[in-house]
Amino acid sequence: MAANATVKWDRETDVVIVGYGFAGAVSAITAHDAGAKVLLLEKMPHPGGISILSGGGVAFARSADGAFAYLKRTCNGTTPDEVLRPLAEGMVEIIDWVKELAKVSGTEPSESEVRGHGTYPTNPDGEILGLAAESGGREINIKARQAVILCCGGFENNEAMKLQYFEAQPVYPVYLGNTGDGIQMAQKAGAALWHMWHF
């Protein structure tokens, strides 16, 4: 949708989250707890995304410096420090967050060491105003007053993207929902890509 196009919004909310795996669930809970009205979108018939294949595992670290060093080494110079540092700090912070979340359901986490639809309407400054989605077989425009968060996975079930980006071939999909929709949506909005070789 063009930047100067007049958009007829079918729905409006504070935060729209695309994808209901672990990242989408954490984003939705965090936004809700901060007082936002949240709309969570998932294209597959069941929530969980590829996260359900992790056995409930969440990557965490005891040391942000150690996690940062590990991430720098494993990313092999392809990801900027200003992205890796907050990720490393979050890997430490997630421990207490998951423990608090588990209390809601009376559980305790155990620790072990070890189709997107839309074009994003934007204003002249490049701000994301919302998105187009499909619901009940028709396209709807959803306005996001505060944020659109893409948590919609990778692209291992998109043959063209696999051939373009993955260094190792063949790569077989383990989750049919990861078709690269969110990546393509972000690109249409002007997002730059990096670290696409790693899956």
Side-chain angles (χ1 to χ4, degrees):
M1 196 170 294
N4 57 0
T6 302
V7 179
K8 178 186 176 296
W9 300 108
D10 300 296
R11 292 191 67 176
E12 187 172 333
T13 190
D14 294 325
V15 176
V16 178
I17 297 167
V18 183
Y20 189 14
F22 284 0
V26 167
S27 298
I29 293 166
T30 302
H32 171 271
D33 290 354
K37 183 178 177 187
V38 177
L39 178 63
L40 185 56
L41 303 176
E42 172 57 53
K43 72 175 181 179
M44 299 302 284
H46 304 288
I50 199 166
S51 301
I52 60 175
L53 302 175
S54 74
V58 176
F60 69 90
R62 298 278 182 213
S63 161
D65 289 338
F68 178 70
Y70 171 80
L71 291 167
K72 271 194 77 81
R73 178 70 179 113
T74 56
C75 289
N76 197 27
T78 62
T79 307
D81 287 359
E82 59 266 20
V83 172
L84 294 181
R85 178 60 69 180
L87 175 59
E89 291 168 0
M91 290 173 69
V92 174
E93 294 166 1
I94 195 79
I95 297 170
D96 290 337
W97 191 88
V98 169
K99 286 179 179 177
E100 285 300 310
L101 181 63
K103 288 179 183 177
V104 173
S105 60
T107 62
E108 186 175 322
S110 62
E111 297 179 13
S112 61
E113 304 296 330
V114 247
R115 110 194 129 236
H117 212 59
T119 51
Y120 285 78
T122 62
N123 66 17
D125 297 325
E127 179 183 4
I128 302 299
L129 302 177
L131 57 82
E134 187 176 306
S135 177
R138 72 178 189 92
E139 186 172 290
I140 60 170
N141 293 319
I142 304 169
K143 182 176 183 178
R145 291 183 291 265
Q146 295 176 3
V148 173
I149 303 173
L150 297 177
C151 301
C152 35
F155 56 91
E156 71 270 11
N157 203 29
N158 180 315
E159 291 302 319
M161 291 181 80
K162 287 193 306 188
L163 288 172
Q164 176 71 27
Y165 297 116
F166 284 153
E167 292 179 346
Q169 295 289 340
V171 174
Y172 300 104
V174 294
Y175 177 68
L176 298 180
N178 279 359
T179 55
D181 302 340
I183 295 166
Q184 293 168 346
M185 290 164 55
Q187 282 181 291
K188 286 179 186 176
L193 303 181
W194 83 92
H195 206 188
M196 295 292 288
W197 58 273
H198 191 58
F199 54 91

